Amino acid sequence: MDRLELARKEAELLEAGTPYAAVTIVHSAGTARTEGKMLVLPDETIYGTVGGGAGEKLAIRDAVTLLAGGENAVRRYELDSPLSAAGQACGGSLTVFIESCRATRPQLIMVGGGHVGLALLRAARLAGFSTTLLDTRGEEMIAPAIKAADRFIQLENFGEALANTRLPAGAYYVVASYSHAADGEALGGVLHHTDAAYVGMIGSRRKVEAIRQKLTAEGITAEQLDAVHSPIGLSLGGETPEEIAVSILAELLMTRYGKTKSDL
């Protein structure tokens, strides 16, 4: 992977809100590689290289540890060994800078690309959110919403497929799909992402209560359901998709900045 490809991958990870560590060679002596950069994901997936071999393995180990704590560090690895002395392995030393990289923009996960979803995707982007659209429908039905989102993931279903989709930690989830049944299934899938900063679902109190009863029977806890913002948004009085989107976005921003409705 050349530097341009690596830069594109780094931009892709940032846009998706995927945390990673960037490992850059600062100095090397007695090794085959004098410069290089590598991106390391929490599961030890890598893009690029800092030379391979024992030095790279040590750097991956340290990168994952530092990323978990959101820390940066310089690490020096002494690679001389009996094998390197015998010419059977690389020796020398390798110094790298490891930087933990996390998303700088809040992440909106919009479940449903209907009228409200489209309006919220557009409004959230203006407010500085990175946006991901999840839907079981494709471009032939929700093309404007797909175009409005930074990223689109077409799901087989809103249940297990949504629950198992890898999504950014600390994201803001809004459920507004095409039916009450789909919303209920989607909320169940979303609640598997226990690292969410916010979960909200559009709908009346009657609809919310019916879905709550169904999910409780499926094993979702009362504590999880109590944390769901539904009916969603601030009570601003609007009824159009755009007005509803503004009310939802206002609640997202309120949550982001640690405010409550009592502060308003």
Side-chain angles (χ1 to χ4, degrees):
M1 178 175 280
D2 63 27
R3 293 302 293 267
L4 181 58
E5 291 173 321
L6 195 63
R8 287 171 177 159
K9 172 55 68 173
E10 191 163 11
E12 178 186 315
L13 294 172
L14 285 170
E15 196 66 53
T18 303
Y20 67 94
V23 182
T24 305
I25 293 177
V26 175
H27 177 74
S28 67
T31 67
R33 194 82 181 222
T34 58
E35 63 177 35
K37 182 175 180 179
M38 172 177 69
L39 310 180
V40 183
L41 272 57
D43 64 359
E44 298 190 6
T45 297
I46 66 168
Y47 301 95
T49 182
V50 290
E56 184 163 289
K57 288 181 180 178
L58 292 169
I60 292 169
R61 179 203 64 189
D62 287 347
V64 170
T65 301
L66 290 165
L67 180 58
E71 301 174 277
N72 304 329
V74 174
R75 290 284 188 266
R76 178 182 172 87
Y77 307 114
E78 296 295 341
L79 306 175
D80 288 327
S81 68
L83 286 177
S84 65
Q88 297 175 13
C90 295
S93 65
L94 177 68
T95 303
V96 298
F97 172 55
I98 303 175
E99 178 185 14
S100 294
C101 302
R102 300 172 181 268
T104 56
R105 293 197 289 164
Q107 306 283 315
L108 168 66
I109 309 297
M110 185 68 234
V111 185
H115 298 302
V116 171
L118 171 59
L120 184 55
L121 286 166
R122 288 172 171 168
R125 204 167 184 186
L126 289 173
F129 282 75
S130 178
T131 58
T132 297
L133 172 63
L134 306 180
D135 208 308
T136 57
R137 299 169 293 180
E139 191 169 357
E140 69 283 356
M141 298 185 69
I142 56 168
I146 294 173
K147 186 176 180 180
D150 295 316
R151 179 187 181 203
F152 171 58
I153 301 174
Q154 187 169 2
L155 301 171
E156 291 184 12
N157 57 69
F158 283 127
E160 184 178 355
L162 194 159
N164 293 330
T165 297
R166 188 173 180 177
L167 295 166
Y172 296 72
Y173 290 80
V174 173
V175 177
S177 67
Y178 43 76
S179 71
H180 288 198
D183 279 349
E185 183 182 24
L187 182 59
V190 165
L191 289 175
H192 281 80
H193 296 272
T194 56
D195 54 7
Y198 171 100
V199 176
M201 182 181 68
I202 198 166
S204 66
R205 293 187 185 279
R206 184 176 178 180
K207 167 188 169 180
V208 171
E209 184 56 34
I211 290 176
R212 182 186 180 96
Q213 291 178 11
K214 182 177 183 297
L215 293 178
T216 298
E218 293 175 1
I220 300 296
T221 68
E223 183 180 12
Q224 288 177 289
L225 292 167
D226 287 344
V228 176
H229 295 257
S230 193
I232 197 172
L234 302 187
S235 183
L236 303 179
E239 296 182 351
T240 68
E242 291 75 19
E243 290 170 332
I244 293 169
V246 168
S247 77
I248 296 171
L249 179 59
E251 188 168 69
L252 298 184
L253 292 171
M254 183 181 72
T255 302
R256 183 185 180 196
Y257 293 112
K259 303 294 183 180
T260 65
K261 291 179 181 179
S262 63
D263 295 321
L264 303 179

